[in-house]
Amino acid sequence: MAPNDVVLVTGGTGFIGFATLKKALEDGYTVRAAVRSEAKADNLRTNPSIKKYSSKLSFVVVPDILAPHAFDEAVKGVKYILHLASPLTTGISLEDDLNAHVINPAVIGTVSICNSAAKEASVKRIVICSSIVAIVPVESLTGAQAPDHAFRPEERAHDVPGPYPAVIVAYVQSKIAALKEAEAWVEKEKPSFDVIHIHPSFVGGRNDLARNLEELKTGTNFYFLAPVLGQEAATAAGPRVASYVDVDDVAKAHVLSLNEKVAGNQSFMLSGEGEMSWDGAKAIAAKHFPDAVGKVFPNDGESAPFPFSVPADNSKTVETFGKLRTYEETVKAVVGQYIELSQQAA
């Protein structure tokens, strides 16, 4: 890494994207963040966890990532791209056109940034945030079929055709389709840069974007917190599987993938090691924060057990990026931040 190397980060206003943007700054990269508006740029500029890196952070406004040539200006002069922008399912229902709102945008955004990068000779590598759902068949993710082996990063899930029984299944297909199209694009175009895909499992951990308790509970962290907060997290409520990874490990994998000693054009799975159960968060909270039980949180919620875990072969991931955090470490981080924000609100 040279002092003037610039990395473009998309999706930096999201949970995983912001953790990755922060990690890139901490590791000494000069970061250009693609955001949808100046207001979103201002929100990042004022975040206390990255204010000290202001001299290494700049912004480019890309109002519509689905517009033709959306990233052409954003990629100019950059050496690396961390592509984490992807459609969310928040506010989308089964009455909406799921192809138009979820699946097609994921594919178009990914191919678009590849096309823009192909016009810019400075680009050497793109790291794309995919998902474990692009590798593990949907039957195993939903608990309908027990897996008979540990899934490897080279495997690919089969397409899930509509109509979709739930919005989250369309999200699964969006990740499958985006990965397939990106790999087909590389095979056809043979660009001068290479591409790495990162496949996280269910992501939780400290969220430095969260300014209050409601923001901390939004998204996947809800499922790590629900038993501690005395709430019920039903399987039908969202994309929950018996497999997790800490957001800081996801950020680390993306940023370390920029090291050119890591071979390009490959995939990495990120799924935490060891046994876990969603209800196990209560024992972890009681162990690390005994004084908060009954005062800050009731610690008596329920999460229905999943019929089986989703085993992943992390050997290449650990060899390349180091050991992954345990479920206990992830829960401790989230619950610890919940207590911090509770004290600030008091």
Side-chain angles (χ1 to χ4, degrees):
M1 178 178 64
N4 294 324
D5 287 347
V6 178
V7 54
L8 173 69
V9 177
T10 73
T13 57
F15 178 35
I16 300 174
F18 182 75
T20 304
L21 180 151
K22 180 184 174 186
K23 176 63 175 172
L25 290 168
E26 290 173 344
D27 282 11
Y29 286 96
T30 297
V31 173
R32 180 185 301 164
V35 293
R36 291 181 182 269
S37 66
E38 283 293 343
K40 290 186 178 294
D42 288 340
N43 191 48
L44 294 185
R45 285 190 188 98
T46 57
N47 187 284
S49 69
I50 61 170
K51 283 186 75 172
K52 64 182 177 181
Y53 302 110
S54 59
S55 64
K56 301 279 285 184
L57 176 63
S58 63
F59 296 89
V60 56
V61 175
V62 182
D64 181 7
I65 67 172
L66 304 183
H69 317 294
F71 295 104
D72 282 4
E73 289 297 318
V75 303
K76 287 186 175 178
V78 307
K79 186 172 184 179
Y80 306 114
I81 298 171
L82 295 170
H83 181 53
L84 297 105
S86 188
L88 299 176
T89 57
T90 305
I92 297 175
S93 72
L94 286 174
E95 284 69 44
D96 294 315
D97 184 338
L98 297 181
N99 281 304
H101 289 284
V102 180
I103 298 170
N104 293 340
V107 173
I108 293 169
T110 300
V111 173
S112 175
I113 203 161
C114 290
N115 281 327
S116 293
K119 303 173 187 175
E120 187 63 24
S122 63
V123 177
K124 301 302 179 187
R125 173 165 292 174
I126 302 179
V127 181
I128 298 174
C129 185
S130 180
S131 171
I132 193 173
V133 305
I135 292 176
V136 179
V138 69
E139 294 84 2
S140 293
L141 291 171
T142 59
Q145 179 179 318
D148 59 2
H149 68 286
F151 293 98
R152 301 178 303 277
E154 296 77 24
E155 295 184 64
R156 296 293 178 263
H158 58 77
D159 283 315
V160 184
Y164 299 102
V167 174
I168 190 57
V169 182
Y171 170 83
V172 169
Q173 176 58 23
S174 78
K175 290 298 186 180
I176 293 170
L179 175 62
K180 179 190 292 186
E181 292 300 321
E183 290 183 326
W185 185 94
V186 170
E187 179 67 24
K188 177 183 177 182
E189 301 294 335
K190 297 179 171 51
S192 58
F193 56 83
D194 54 44
V195 178
I196 289 177
H197 296 274
I198 305 294
H199 302 273
S201 183
F202 202 83
V203 182
R206 184 177 180 88
N207 181 2
D208 285 318
L209 277 178
R211 295 163 295 182
N212 54 54
L213 295 177
E214 286 306 311
E215 290 181 358
L216 180 63
K217 291 187 292 183
T218 299
T220 52
N221 267 337
F222 168 75
Y223 296 92
F224 292 84
L225 285 168
V228 177
L229 301 184
Q231 300 177 18
E232 181 178 353
T235 303
R240 187 178 64 93
V241 296
S243 181
Y244 74 96
V245 67
D246 194 283
V247 67
D248 287 343
D249 283 333
V250 181
K252 180 176 73 172
H254 279 82
V255 175
L256 292 184
S257 290
L258 300 179
N259 188 327
E260 292 173 31
K261 291 181 181 179
V262 178
N265 298 323
Q266 62 174 323
S267 286
F268 291 96
M269 289 187 73
L270 277 76
S271 187
E273 301 283 355
E275 293 296 320
M276 59 84 69
S277 70
W278 291 106
D279 261 8
K282 291 183 286 190
I284 295 168
K287 173 184 175 181
H288 292 283
F289 309 103
D291 294 341
V293 176
K295 297 178 182 177
V296 181
F297 47 79
N299 213 34
D300 61 357
E302 296 290 337
S303 283
F306 224 70
F308 47 76
S309 62
V310 178
D313 183 349
N314 275 326
S315 55
K316 184 171 71 169
T317 299
V318 173
E319 180 182 352
T320 307
F321 305 126
K323 188 177 179 181
L324 299 174
R325 295 187 179 192
T326 64
Y327 181 62
E328 179 171 350
E329 290 173 307
T330 300
V331 171
K332 181 183 176 183
V334 180
V335 176
Q337 187 180 8
Y338 185 90
I339 293 172
E340 288 176 22
L341 292 172
S342 295
Q343 292 170 342
Q344 292 173 17

